[in-house]
Amino acid sequence: MKERDSESFESLSQVLPNTSNSARMIQMSMANSGSAAPAPAGQDHLDRSKWLLDCPEPPSPWQELKTQVKESYLTKAKKFKSLRKQPLPKRILFILQAVFPIFGWCRNYKLTMFKNDLMAGLTLASLCIPQSIGYATLAKLDPQYGLYTSVVPPLIYALMGTSREIAIGPVAVVSLLVSSMLQKLIDPETDPLGYKKLVLTTTFFAGIFQASFGIFRLGFLVDFLSHAAIVGFMGGAAIVIGLQQLKGLLGITNFTTNTDIVSVLRAVWRSCHQQWSPHTFILGCSFLSFILITRFIGKKNKKLFWLPAIAPLISVVVSTLMVFLTKADEHGVKTVKHIKGGLNPISINDLEFNTPHLGHIAKIGLIVAIVALTEAIAVGRSFAGIKGYRLDGNKEMVAIGFMNVIGSFTSCYAATGSFSRTAVNFAAGCETAMSNIVMAVTVFVALECLTRLLYYTPIAILASIILSALPGLIDIDEAIHIWKIDKLDFLALIGAFFGVLFGSVEIGLLVAVVISFAKIILISIRPGIETLGRMSGTDTFADTDQYPMSVKTPGVLIFRVKSALLCFANASSIEERIMGWIRQEEEGDENTKSNAKRNILFVVLDMSNLINVDTSGITALVELHNNLIQNGVELVIVNPKWTVIHKLNQTKFISKIGGKVYLTIGEAVDACFGLKV
């Protein structure tokens, strides 16, 4: 062992400038005396080590939970306590503002702001009316239910929401979710009333889940669908929705209820060989081209933003007149026919809670709630960032939840924030959520007065309107960006995309979530291990792979685990990798230019990244220590966190390694030299 020590310390002279002062003093005293007399590691180091070993017991998980809840309620209690000193009207106003943000911004509302909101609301309604009718047919509902959903939910959101730009109503992805999952329980063609009841019940459950997420601050559940997964899911759903619109665009009567691309293409191919309407196809493609051209013009000239916004409404009006005047409905062009007008009928009695499908409905409601919230919050935050204000995520969840619950009582199906309509609302210069109120009132007027005029509206036009909105859901640039940044995220994107495309909406979401969790587990099970070296002329230790100029300390191997948790999933892997590194160092690295062997005396384990450790992790540390002792190597640990050092003390692991615990790597290295000398 003495020969091994002398060999190690002879090599110290090569890195003398890179060691700290205490190590240099040890080397100088060794050179002058020619002996290996023991020298102290430094009283300061021992004192600082006691700070770690003598720290108080950390709070238990139950205490932490109580503290968080207490702090949350104390903050609110302080606010209400301060209100007691205020007069009653101010107290009432404060409570109203907390629940209904409209009471806050309407106090400073001006006529000029209303002019902008009026213009934005009317522009929004011109886009919303035809889209809502189209999305209702996508959800396998009668057209009026799309219009109902554009009346009540926007009004509720305007009272409770915190976003100024978001436009509320039915959207394509949620409509596809509802129809693709519920039609497996009840066929909307054979039992439309029973299907409608399931849709309203699903909307009720979705609203309950959404409001609960906000009230109990469970917004992290929405994050189960990562950004990459949403991008892939939206792209796949857009293609599936587009293929399904071929039924209306070609005038096909019998079509598949499946949503996968293979079934849809097979149904289209069979229909093309049987009966389809060329007149319907020409009519739909003509107006689809018109809408796309106006969108291109609107992008080129920002002042003409209103042109693509009103293009769908123009298409509906002109095509309806064409069908009425030419009597094209008698020549195979299918029309919307009767749309029930009037105020939203009350539908509380239509909620079905005695059905044997209640468990499935609740599950579908949860999926719809998460997808709808993800889209709405993403849209709201995007435009709030542009305007420079903060969106309250919890209030948003509560607002969207309540609007869907109340919507289910008033014949509305699941509504959320629409990206395309929000972009139009923003471009039209909206100032507040008043634009949603203007839009809702305009749609209500249309329900009261204009539904009879839509009798001859061709279904092909509704299909073309939906098709024109789909390119915005396919974000190729973002997919390329994700590929460049993170390959595992791109795998989740691809999984969601192909899952929706070749399976179903549920399979696509499930694949995305599974891949995202597999990524987390993979990182946890196989965490990276850094070997650290000293940066020249400093006391900083850095990854030798990232900084090749860093110098390894002779006789010492320094490791840092790139994981926040040392647990049953990764403990054995970490132990094996450390022992492998030691064997590789002592036997010489064949991949380097020099195959010189290093005599390892100490292993320094930097625990600064570790937040917690379980029993399997501690067992692995004990086994690592025993294996190192058998090889004549000592284990030193650095900067363990509060919970980690407490558990290591409880299991008496610190005493097993001789109390070699230090605050910094530099102190640990200096102490190692002192111990060996």
Side-chain angles (χ1 to χ4, degrees), residues 520-592:
I520 296 171
I521 294 170
L522 181 64
I523 294 172
S524 176
I525 292 177
R526 302 291 296 175
I529 295 181
E530 300 173 336
T531 56
L532 307 182
R534 190 191 294 271
M535 299 297 288
S536 180
T538 70
D539 281 335
T540 302
F541 290 81
D543 184 6
T544 54
D545 291 329
Q546 183 178 358
Y547 301 97
M549 72 289 298
S550 60
V551 181
K552 293 183 179 180
T553 306
V556 180
L557 267 182
I558 308 169
F559 296 103
R560 180 188 292 140
V561 181
K562 294 190 290 185
S563 174
L565 181 63
L566 184 63
C567 62
F568 66 93
N570 60 16
S572 297
S573 170
I574 291 172
E575 179 195 353
E576 290 172 4
R577 294 182 71 177
I578 290 176
M579 292 304 300
W581 271 100
I582 293 170
R583 285 191 292 270
Q584 182 179 343
E585 288 287 334
E586 292 192 336
E587 293 172 2
D589 191 353
E590 296 178 357
N591 296 325
T592 60

Side-chain angles (χ1 to χ4, degrees), residues 601-615:
L601 304 176
F602 292 94
V603 166
V604 177
L605 189 59
D606 182 7
M607 291 187 169
S608 55
N609 287 340
L610 287 178
I611 296 174
N612 208 336
V613 59
D614 67 358
T615 53

Side-chain angles (χ1 to χ4, degrees), residues 463-474:
S464 65
I465 291 170
I466 295 175
L467 284 169
S468 68
L470 298 182
L473 298 178
I474 304 174

